Amino acid sequence: MPINCKKQTLPTIEKEQIDLLARLSNASGVSGDEAEVRKIIREEITPFADSVETDVMGNLIAQKNAKGKCALHVLIAAHMDEVGFMLVDKDSEGIYRFSLIGGIDERSLAGKQVLIGKDHLPGVIGACPVHLSTKEERECILKLESLRIDAGPGCTDLQLGSYAVFATRFQAFGPSLIGKALDNRLGVATLIELLKHCPEHIHLTAAFTVQEEIGARGAAAVAYNHKPDLAFILDSTPAMDQPSYDNAENTQYRTRLGFGPAIYAMDSNTLYDHRMVEFLKTTATENGIPYQIRQPGGGGTDAGAVHLSQDGIPTATISVPGRYAHTAVMIARKSDWENTLRLLTASLDSVSQDIFKNER
Amino acid sequence: MDDNSRITDFLKELISLPGISGYETPVAKAIAAHWKDLTDEIQITNVGNLYGIKKGSASKNGEKPHKIILAAHMDGIGMVIDRFRGEMLHFAPIGGFDPRILPGQQVLIHSGKETIPGVIVQLAPHLLSNPYKDKPVPLHELVIDTGLEEEELRQRVQVGDIVSYANLPVELPTDCIAGHSLDNRASVAAVTQTLIELQRFTHHWDVVAVGTTQEETTFLSHTVVHDLRPDLAIAIDVTFAKGPGVDGWRGKPLSSGPSIGYGANFHPKLVKELQSLSDSLGIATTKDYLPSRSGTDAEPIQNACGGVPTALISIPLRYMHTPVEVISMKDILQTGHLMAEFIARLDQNFMNKIVWED
Amino acid sequence: MKELLKKLTETAAPSGHEANIRNLIRKEIEPYVDEISVDVMGNLIARKGKKQKDGHRILIAAHMDEIGLMASHISEKGFVYVASIGGVNPLTCVGSRVVFLNGTVGVISLETEKIDKVPTINQLFIDVGATSADDCPVNVGDVCVFDRPFIDMRKRMVAKAMDDRVGCLLAIETLKQIKESPNELVFVFTTQEEIGARGATTSAYGVDPEIGIALDVTLSADTPHCTPVNPVLGEGPCIKVRDSSLIAHPAVIEAMKKAAASRKIKVQMEVLRFAGTDAGAIHTVRSGVPSGCLSIACRYVHSPSEMIDTSDVENAIVMLKVLLENPIAL
């Protein structure tokens, strides 16, 4: 097929998509308690899918059948869950001890507002007044052991075992998207768009997975049950692209805002199939979409579980870069999100078994 | 003999036997012998999983049965000989424990068909790489002395021989038992109590009592799901009991009943059914909050082969991973009782309740 | 044997990029096997023989991959910063040479004045002779391995990637020599062992074996100030009892001991407190697979100069052949 035939109208991010991202970002969905996010997605995708089901683990699975036989079976997975808290013990009236769920730096906890449980009851994580702490104390980390979630005196109807999230509300500001849980509601929003406009030559399994933040536990079940020919994982990845204190060249930025979707070469759990990486790079180049190779190194995505399922599944991960993931506020660029959507759209249009004509 | 003393005697037998991770055969055989009369069929797989299959009325009527597994790991922590040093034997751990409990501990070395007694000792400061004044001697510098002279020792013991604790169980004055490997033979006893009670019930579902292996080391319980393809799973393990060393929210009082796991590792509807049943039967329970990963067999089982709705019931235990773990018989019996009552109520429509959308 | 080991160790093939070594091994073994294939993860799977009475389907795994580095950033001045593929020790990197799969050779160094302790991988950079990012022949994501020749020291042999090309050698030589066996033998040259036995995980699922045997190196403890523990070079092949990924199955250990005894080969029992091999992955698939590991003691593992003993290798080949030619009682 000549290159110019591949040129097509690629999607853009409009108000409609941003409004949906806002709803997703503001919803509570800690690992193990994704119901609220699942409900939003289910409503959004049901008209566009041939089937929608929630599996044993709580993953939301939508199928879009291909027109014609022997179609390529593509899995696209985006995790719904976010990092957060669970109330585990009552100290006194309205004051609770809590545990962290997922990787949260203790130093990002104190002085934040939280929302507790299905009803989004407000609470705060306080800290000792500066007047009453010593200089030595202020040089130590505020450890989780010493922090409490406070829902205020008189609040007696909170159940132990309730989940809580940072209370940050989403905003689109200038070129940026600002909010909590953009890791990975950005991926979720992207997958919803892809499902709505899925090309007819592939069979698509769209999986909104659970429990990624505690070890890709939902994705393992999805890969085992659906056994696709290949898989794309949509996630969000840290950008640490700011200048260093001495203005030395920053060699460990992981990803950079504004440089487009981050294609993974290697993370802690996956060494990506170079045939998939090449396919994505070629697709981006042919369609004039900017991209970056995420710096190889730590971290992991649902790909870690998916690519090792049964006798193996070729898998790629594409992330929207974002600063300050796993804190109360994350910042990403709208342009990176749009280019991620465009890259995936173009990839779905041209994906075929030809990617694997050479041995890995 | 009443159930209580039957289970007590059985448990004492189990914790008198070795059954180190990867070497579960002695304890698996003892459990199999006891489950034989309580089940329709016993199987032991090549990696050592033990299955006691008790068919339900659906199976017996030729209908397609539902299946629940009750999984308790049979293995315990132990050691393995890794080198000789004169008459002394060095050893490596199998499973995780605090080496501070080891000096003075009597052990058994399992060498071929022979069992050789020994004692773990800490040598005098000048014989160590560092005097460790006021510090614990690290595990790799502790040694086992068998009393044998070097030549004979080398004939009778080999590098790679497995080592287990030698101490025998003790019944404390009330209803508590102390010994090694109560983690997790106590849960095996609870599952056995379930099988005993189920002799008196008709139950619709097939029940498989499962002894899993290598929980303390590399986890193999996902292989159980591959073999059995259950509709539901309950993992049974021990949890921290309040007492010396444990006073925070993670500890449950001894004799406070089974502790039901809450968190991402467990299917919320299955947990809800278990909780409401125990409430309606007046069985005292506590809630065990395990926010992300439980570190028990519930985790590999829940994740295996596309996912299994799984719950975890834990029995409070003091001094976990020492040779003097303490557990209440009442908690064991109540755990067994709760599971029997639960299974007796499982009907062909039960799975309709195990759904996610509220 | 040494000729082949030289070719195997001098081939560049880090985890995830095993095509070079796979092609070499395929050429060696093709005439001796019944069936050969490559799976999704790049594992090379060679089948030989049919299962007969008392026989089992045995998976024999030797990993083809080696540790390496992946480019993570090209600096403005053309230096290549890297991430490690597998357990690379920064201490053994400094001053070493590497070769990228596109042929580019580079020298590893670091800013010595900034370093007062063991450096991290992030502090290393590779100088490939570029003068700026624009003329650097390396891109982010490109991979390289140590560049060192194989040396035959008679009693001992030294090379990079002895871990685990010596395991590949054991598999190849045994495969060539075996004539009759009651077992269905599936030799898998696995990928990505160095980053978590990932090739073994998927290939074991696909092969569905009844017994698993990994062939790998293990850490010797016989350097000048080492406590003299098992294993040491020259004292025979090692039978693994445990490492952090595996408690070896007692029946497999027994069969290995018997095979060695039948040829009067001295063996060492290996109790390793850490690390893992392909056997750790194989034993967990499907219904679980009774598994063990035959190891070759090796000095300086994961350095550019890994050393083994020649007689250990010769004995291991004899022992493995006997092991695979006879039934294994589970």
Side-chain angles (χ1 to χ4, degrees):
Chain A
M1 193 194 291
I3 286 172
N4 57 8
C5 286
K6 286 191 179 176
K7 289 285 180 196
Q8 53 178 312
T9 332
L10 290 171
T12 51
I13 297 296
E14 304 295 340
K15 184 173 180 304
E16 180 192 335
Q17 285 78 24
I18 291 185
D19 288 347
L20 174 60
L21 179 64
R23 281 170 63 210
L24 289 166
S25 167
N26 291 340
S28 298
V30 180
S31 312
D33 184 43
E34 297 88 351
E36 187 181 336
V37 182
R38 190 163 50 227
K39 186 154 178 282
I40 296 173
I41 302 169
R42 182 185 275 273
E43 284 168 10
E44 200 64 35
I45 63 173
T46 299
F48 301 93
D50 292 305
S51 72
V52 178
E53 54 138 6
T54 305
D55 73 8
V56 163
M57 294 293 295
N59 300 302
L60 183 68
I61 312 286
Q63 305 284 349
K64 188 89 163 75
N65 299 331
K67 295 253 167 69
K69 291 201 175 94
C70 304
L72 195 67
H73 181 188
V74 178
L75 166 70
I76 309 182
H79 72 87
M80 300 186 280
D81 61 315
E82 66 186 292
V83 298
F85 321 105
M86 183 192 267
L87 307 189
V88 294
D89 198 18
K90 188 171 172 176
D91 245 22
S92 56
E93 200 179 81
I95 296 184
Y96 295 86
R97 229 176 242 272
F98 61 101
S99 272
L100 304 182
I101 297 177
I104 303 176
D105 188 332
E106 285 175 313
R107 294 172 297 182
S108 65
L109 294 173
K112 306 300 180 302
Q113 295 180 21
V114 299
L115 296 173
I116 307 160
K118 295 191 195 321
D119 299 328
H120 292 201
L121 288 173
V124 298
I125 305 173
C128 176
V130 65
H131 323 70
L132 303 182
S133 60
T134 64
K135 185 166 173 292
E136 289 71 31
E137 281 168 348
R138 289 196 298 275
E139 280 169 3
C140 297
I141 289 177
L142 289 164
K143 302 289 274 183
L144 176 65
E145 274 299 297
S146 72
L147 296 170
R148 299 290 182 269
I149 286 179
D150 186 349
C155 188
T156 52
D157 52 351
L158 281 179
Q159 292 272 331
L160 289 185
S162 292
Y163 292 88
V165 297
F166 288 119
T168 319
R169 296 297 88 183
F170 177 87
Q171 50 180 315
F173 184 73
S176 291
L177 310 162
I178 301 173
K180 75 159 178 75
L182 293 178
D183 170 9
N184 179 35
R185 305 293 153 71
L186 275 165
V188 168
T190 310
L191 181 48
I192 292 171
E193 289 302 315
L194 292 170
L195 183 67
K196 286 180 178 174
H197 305 289
C198 180
E200 293 178 342
H201 70 104
I202 57 166
H203 177 93
L204 177 66
T205 298
F208 300 90
T209 61
V210 298
Q211 302 189 26
E212 191 271 349
E213 297 292 0
I214 54 174
R217 302 177 75 253
V222 172
Y224 185 93
N225 284 335
H226 298 281
K227 191 70 183 91
D229 295 317
L230 60 98
F232 296 105
I233 310 300
L234 304 180
D235 209 328
S236 173
T237 190
M240 297 175 283
D241 54 343
Q242 303 89 334
S244 69
Y245 72 101
D246 58 357
N247 278 325
E249 184 173 346
N250 177 355
T251 62
Q252 295 175 62
Y253 38 84
R254 188 68 58 79
T255 59
R256 293 181 274 207
L257 294 196
F259 282 66
I263 300 170
Y264 285 51
M266 176 173 76
D267 61 37
S268 293
N269 304 327
T270 313
L271 210 158
Y272 290 86
D273 191 321
H274 43 79
R275 299 171 298 183
M276 297 281 283
V277 175
E278 281 309 313
F279 167 70
L280 288 167
K281 283 160 73 172
T282 309
T283 306
T285 307
E286 285 174 355
N287 289 278
I289 302 165
Y291 70 90
Q292 53 189 321
I293 298 294
R294 175 187 179 274
Q295 282 192 293
T301 74
D302 275 341
V306 171
H307 87 288
L308 293 181
S309 182
Q310 300 194 26
D311 53 357
I313 298 169
T315 305
T317 296
I318 306 95
S319 274
V320 181
R323 291 179 186 154
Y324 327 115
H326 293 202
T327 71
V329 190
M330 182 168 145
I331 299 178
R333 288 270 195 278
K334 189 182 121 188
S335 66
D336 290 332
W337 179 27
E338 183 169 272
N339 282 320
T340 302
L341 177 60
R342 293 163 79 94
L343 174 55
L344 263 297
T345 304
S347 298
L348 289 188
D349 278 330
S350 61
V351 69
S352 78
Q353 203 73 49
D354 288 351
I355 301 174
F356 308 116
K357 61 177 185 285
N358 293 322
E359 284 171 1
R360 178 165 182 184
Chain B
M1 197 194 297
D2 66 4
D3 285 356
N4 194 342
S5 55
R6 178 177 179 181
I7 287 293
T8 306
D9 290 348
F10 175 53
L11 181 57
K12 282 166 67 182
E13 179 194 345
L14 292 187
I15 62 172
S16 306
L17 291 167
I20 307 305
S21 264
Y23 293 79
E24 295 88 353
T25 306
V27 71
K29 279 187 174 159
I31 299 167
H34 209 84
W35 284 1
K36 196 164 173 295
D37 295 335
L38 299 171
T39 58
D40 299 310
E41 190 185 342
I42 296 280
Q43 293 174 3
I44 297 184
T45 73
N46 280 342
V47 290
N49 296 325
L50 170 64
Y51 303 142
I53 302 163
K54 185 165 177 355
K55 293 212 158 54
S57 55
S59 271
K60 288 176 180 160
N61 297 336
E63 296 161 31
K64 194 172 172 295
H66 284 96
K67 190 188 290 175
I68 182 169
I69 61 171
L70 309 177
H73 72 86
M74 304 182 287
D75 62 313
I77 53 173
M79 290 141 271
V80 53
I81 300 297
D82 78 346
R83 69 187 163 97
F84 290 82
R85 177 175 170 194
E87 292 176 7
M88 304 294 117
L89 295 163
H90 280 269
F91 57 93
I94 295 182
F97 49 81
D98 183 342
R100 292 177 301 178
I101 60 154
L102 292 179
Q105 214 62 253
Q106 290 187 285
V107 294
L108 299 172
I109 302 165
H110 304 277
S111 190
K113 289 199 168 65
E114 197 183 16
T115 302
I116 294 163
V119 57
I120 299 175
V121 296
Q122 73 185 37
L123 300 174
H126 69 283
L127 300 174
L128 301 173
S129 69
N130 167 330
Y132 297 108
K133 191 175 177 325
D134 300 326
K135 285 213 179 89
V137 176
L139 189 126
H140 66 271
E141 297 219 36
L142 295 173
V143 290
I144 297 173
D145 192 340
T146 59
L148 295 175
E149 290 175 0
E150 187 174 356
E151 194 186 0
E152 191 181 352
L153 185 69
R154 283 184 180 265
Q155 280 166 11
R156 293 175 69 176
V157 176
Q158 272 202 312
V159 170
D161 287 348
I162 297 298
V163 182
S164 64
Y165 291 126
N167 61 308
L168 294 172
V170 192
E171 284 188 59
L172 300 181
T174 55
D175 87 324
C176 287
I177 286 200
H180 67 77
S181 310
L182 280 168
D183 171 7
N184 189 33
R185 312 280 162 79
S187 301
V188 173
V191 172
T192 308
Q193 175 65 16
T194 305
L195 292 176
I196 291 170
E197 294 193 24
L198 283 178
Q199 309 298 315
R200 302 193 281 263
F201 289 118
T202 41
H203 53 95
H204 193 75
W205 283 37
D206 283 0
V207 180
V208 187
V210 177
T212 71
T213 58
Q214 301 191 34
E215 193 271 352
E216 298 291 0
T217 49
T218 55
F219 284 107
L220 273 184
S221 51
H222 55 282
T223 62
V224 172
V225 178
H226 191 271
D227 289 344
L228 300 175
R229 305 287 166 159
D231 297 284
L232 291 178
I234 300 177
I236 306 94
D237 211 326
V238 295
T239 188
F240 308 106
K242 275 198 194 327
V246 179
D247 56 2
W249 59 273
R250 286 173 199 279
K252 319 292 166 205
L254 275 183
S255 303
S256 62
S259 191
I260 298 177
Y262 281 77
N265 227 180
F266 321 110
H267 198 293
K269 290 291 170 62
L270 177 57
V271 170
K272 194 172 154 194
E273 292 294 324
L274 272 171
Q275 187 70 63
S276 59
L277 176 65
S278 52
D279 292 348
S280 71
L281 293 173
I283 298 175
T285 58
T286 56
K287 295 179 179 177
D288 201 4
Y289 297 111
L290 298 158
S292 39
R293 309 182 74 157
S294 69
T296 68
D297 273 340
E299 193 175 323
I301 288 173
Q302 183 202 25
N303 278 293
C305 301
V308 181
T310 302
L312 173 68
I313 303 183
S314 299
I315 308 172
L317 172 92
R318 279 187 188 152
Y319 319 120
M320 199 180 290
H321 286 200
T322 75
V324 292
E325 297 172 332
V326 171
I327 205 155
S328 149
M329 285 308 300
K330 186 180 141 214
D331 288 338
I332 294 174
L333 295 169
Q334 287 291 67
T335 300
H337 179 58
L338 172 58
M339 291 192 291
E341 294 281 353
F342 181 73
I343 289 165
R345 285 167 175 77
L346 290 172
D347 58 24
Q348 60 187 2
N349 298 322
F350 183 84
M351 287 308 288
N352 297 340
K353 296 180 183 173
I354 307 300
V355 291
W356 280 89
E357 304 310 319
D358 307 272
Chain C
M1 185 258 283
K2 286 182 176 176
E3 260 319 288
L4 178 54
L5 187 56
K6 176 178 163 65
K7 277 200 284 182
L8 289 168
T9 53
E10 290 183 353
T11 301
S15 309
H17 299 79
E18 294 90 353
N20 292 339
I21 187 76
R22 184 170 55 230
N23 293 336
L24 172 65
I25 294 173
R26 178 163 30 203
K27 229 169 72 197
E28 279 299 321
I29 62 173
E30 227 159 8
Y32 303 92
V33 302
D34 300 338
E35 192 192 319
I36 197 159
S37 61
V38 176
D39 72 2
V40 164
M41 290 286 283
N43 297 294
L44 180 66
I45 301 171
R47 294 172 187 268
K48 189 181 175 90
K50 290 269 171 305
K51 200 165 81 173
Q52 291 154 30
K53 191 171 171 293
D54 298 331
H56 289 102
R57 180 161 50 249
I58 305 179
L59 190 166
I60 306 100
H63 70 88
M64 303 188 282
D65 63 315
E66 64 187 295
I67 56 169
L69 299 167
M70 186 184 276
S72 67
H73 175 65
I74 315 300
S75 78
E76 289 154 15
K77 292 177 181 164
F79 293 101
V80 179
Y81 286 79
V82 292
S84 61
I85 302 175
V88 176
N89 180 353
L91 265 187
T92 63
C93 284
V94 181
S96 288
R97 290 182 191 175
V98 292
V99 56
F100 284 85
L101 294 192
N102 67 8
T104 304
V105 174
V107 179
I108 308 180
S109 196
L110 76 175
E111 316 257 13
T112 42
E113 68 274 17
K114 282 191 175 176
I115 305 295
D116 56 359
K117 48 180 183 261
V118 178
T120 63
I121 287 286
N122 294 329
Q123 291 173 310
L124 304 177
F125 51 79
I126 300 175
D127 188 340
V128 294
T131 56
S132 75
D134 292 336
D135 72 353
C136 181
V138 173
N139 293 310
V140 172
D142 287 356
V143 295
C144 64
V145 298
F146 290 126
D147 190 16
R148 287 285 164 105
F150 169 92
I151 308 282
D152 177 10
M153 301 163 141
R154 306 284 172 219
K155 275 189 179 169
R156 305 274 154 91
M157 300 179 282
V158 68
K160 64 111 179 138
M162 208 58 104
D163 170 9
D164 181 33
R165 304 290 158 71
V166 67
C168 296
L169 177 80
L170 297 184
I172 295 167
E173 291 293 335
T174 311
L175 216 166
K176 286 179 178 173
Q177 291 175 22
I178 281 191
K179 295 282 181 295
E180 280 291 315
S181 169
N183 301 305
E184 179 184 350
L185 302 176
V186 187
F187 288 84
V188 181
F189 298 88
T190 61
T191 58
Q192 303 192 28
E193 192 273 349
E194 295 293 355
I195 51 175
R198 295 181 193 159
T201 302
T202 58
S203 58
Y205 187 93
V207 169
D208 190 12
E210 292 157 297
I211 293 172
I213 295 168
L215 310 172
D216 212 329
V217 299
T218 189
L219 310 172
S220 80
D222 52 1
T223 42
H225 291 285
C226 229
T227 328
V229 296
N230 282 331
V232 298
L233 262 54
E235 290 294 310
C238 308
I239 299 174
K240 190 182 292 287
V241 177
R242 66 148 290 178
D243 59 32
S244 34
S245 72
L246 175 79
I247 309 287
H249 195 282
V252 177
I253 294 179
E254 211 40 54
M256 287 184 178
K257 282 183 177 170
K258 223 174 97 188
S262 77
R263 295 300 171 92
K264 300 201 164 49
I265 293 170
K266 206 167 147 191
V267 293
Q268 312 182 66
M269 301 304 291
E270 174 202 347
V271 177
L272 199 59
R273 289 159 194 249
F274 43 86
T277 71
D278 278 342
I282 296 165
H283 96 290
T284 68
V285 302
R286 294 185 186 248
S287 293
V289 182
S291 298
C293 178
L294 179 63
S295 321
I296 300 291
C298 181
R299 286 181 187 162
Y300 326 121
V301 172
H302 286 195
S303 82
S305 300
E306 298 174 328
M307 188 185 291
I308 57 172
D309 184 272
T310 309
S311 72
D312 288 345
V313 179
E314 290 161 350
N315 285 326
I317 294 169
V318 177
M319 179 179 156
L320 183 60
K321 181 164 170 278
V322 176
L323 178 68
L324 298 180
E325 278 178 343
N326 290 289
I328 296 178
L330 287 178

